[in-house]
């Protein structure tokens, strides 16, 4: 079990999102008042290619432990600064399988859809950060550390300090892939 360290949103397409005291998740749509809110894809480059595709990136979650790791490498990153809506602590987000349900606070539920694939904008925030949020596994495969994406199954308000409970999917687990 983990907890929410921060919640963030931005109505504009900005790289960083200001922290809030509370955000509201709406089933099938995402974070109320956020630029990525909607049933269909809202990421600008994806809207140009496939405007009617389902929005599998309604909520972006990052583990605060990544910020700790980055600090050890000389970077200063705070919650919301690299675009996430929910900053978590105490939960291995990257180790979760696709289809995992994250129960955020007393009501909200987010289904994990995949990994965030960081883009070059991250180097515009801090030079060298893109390389720092990518790694290699023992087999040489790319490890994306910049968080996970999900869709809202059940809405509700979430705040810093709320617990996160995990329900793993039945059957064989599917490894997270970029969405």
């Amino acid at each position: 079990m983990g907890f929410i360290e921060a919640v963030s949103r931005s109505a504009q397409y900005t790289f960083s999102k200001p922290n809030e005291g509370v955000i509201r998740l709406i089933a099938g749509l995402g974070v109320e008042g956020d630029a990525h809110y909607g049933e269909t894809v809202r990421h600008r480059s994806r809207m140009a290619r496939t405007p009617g595709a389902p929005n599998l990136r309604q909520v972006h979650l990052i583990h605060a432990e990544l910020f700790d790791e980055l600090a050890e490498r000389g970077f200063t990153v705070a919650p919301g600064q690299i675009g996430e809506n929910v900053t978590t602590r105490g939960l291995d987000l990257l180790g979760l399988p696709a289809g995992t349900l994250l129960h955020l606070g007393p009501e909200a539920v987010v289904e994990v859809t995949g990994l965030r694939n960081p883009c070059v904008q991250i180097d515009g925030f801090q030079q060298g950060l893109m390389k720092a949020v990518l790694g290699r596994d023992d087999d040489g495969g790319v490890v994306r550390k910049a968080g996970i994406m999900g869709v809202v199954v059940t809405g509700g308000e979430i705040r810093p300090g709320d617990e996160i409970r995990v329900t793993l999917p039945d059957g064989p687990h599917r490894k997270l892939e970029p969405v």
Side-chain angles (χ1 to χ4, degrees), residues 8-115:
S8 311
R9 69 178 172 171
S10 176
Q12 315 297 281
Y13 283 102
T14 56
F15 184 74
S16 296
K17 297 180 185 225
N19 296 154
E20 303 279 343
V22 61
I23 59 174
R24 179 182 298 277
L25 304 183
I26 306 296
L29 298 171
V31 179
E32 186 176 64
D34 191 78
H36 294 95
Y37 181 82
E39 193 174 312
T40 57
V41 66
R42 292 290 183 242
H43 191 273
R44 288 192 288 188
S45 67
R46 293 165 193 260
M47 287 189 314
R49 289 192 313 260
T50 55
N55 186 1
L56 301 178
R57 301 166 55 100
Q58 294 174 2
V59 182
H60 176 201
L61 301 97
I62 285 186
H63 51 296
E65 291 84 356
L66 174 63
F67 302 152
D68 301 339
E69 176 187 327
L70 293 171
E72 291 175 10
R73 297 179 66 183
F75 296 95
T76 302
V77 182
Q81 287 188 321
I82 54 176
E84 78 277 10
N85 301 110
V86 181
T87 308
T88 69
R89 187 165 290 278
L91 187 60
D92 179 14
L93 294 179
L94 303 179
L96 298 172
T100 296
L101 298 178
L102 299 176
H103 303 263
L104 307 173
E107 299 174 333
V109 179
V110 170
E111 181 179 345
V112 176
T113 56
L115 295 168

Side-chain angles (χ1 to χ4, degrees), residues 87-168:
T87 308
T88 69
R89 187 165 290 278
L91 187 60
D92 179 14
L93 294 179
L94 303 179
L96 298 172
T100 296
L101 298 178
L102 299 176
H103 303 263
L104 307 173
E107 299 174 333
V109 179
V110 170
E111 181 179 345
V112 176
T113 56
L115 295 168
R116 175 190 186 189
N117 196 17
C119 69
V120 295
Q121 283 184 324
I122 205 164
D123 275 342
F125 176 70
Q126 285 183 41
Q127 191 60 38
L129 192 56
M130 174 82 156
K131 185 176 180 183
V133 298
L134 294 172
R136 296 275 176 192
D137 63 20
D138 293 338
D139 297 325
V142 175
V143 175
R144 292 166 179 84
K145 303 178 192 178
I148 63 172
M149 309 304 286
V151 295
V152 181
V153 176
T154 305
E157 290 184 345
I158 61 172
R159 348 179 120 62
D162 281 351
E163 285 186 353
I164 304 171
R165 296 168 319 284
V166 175
T167 302
L168 296 173

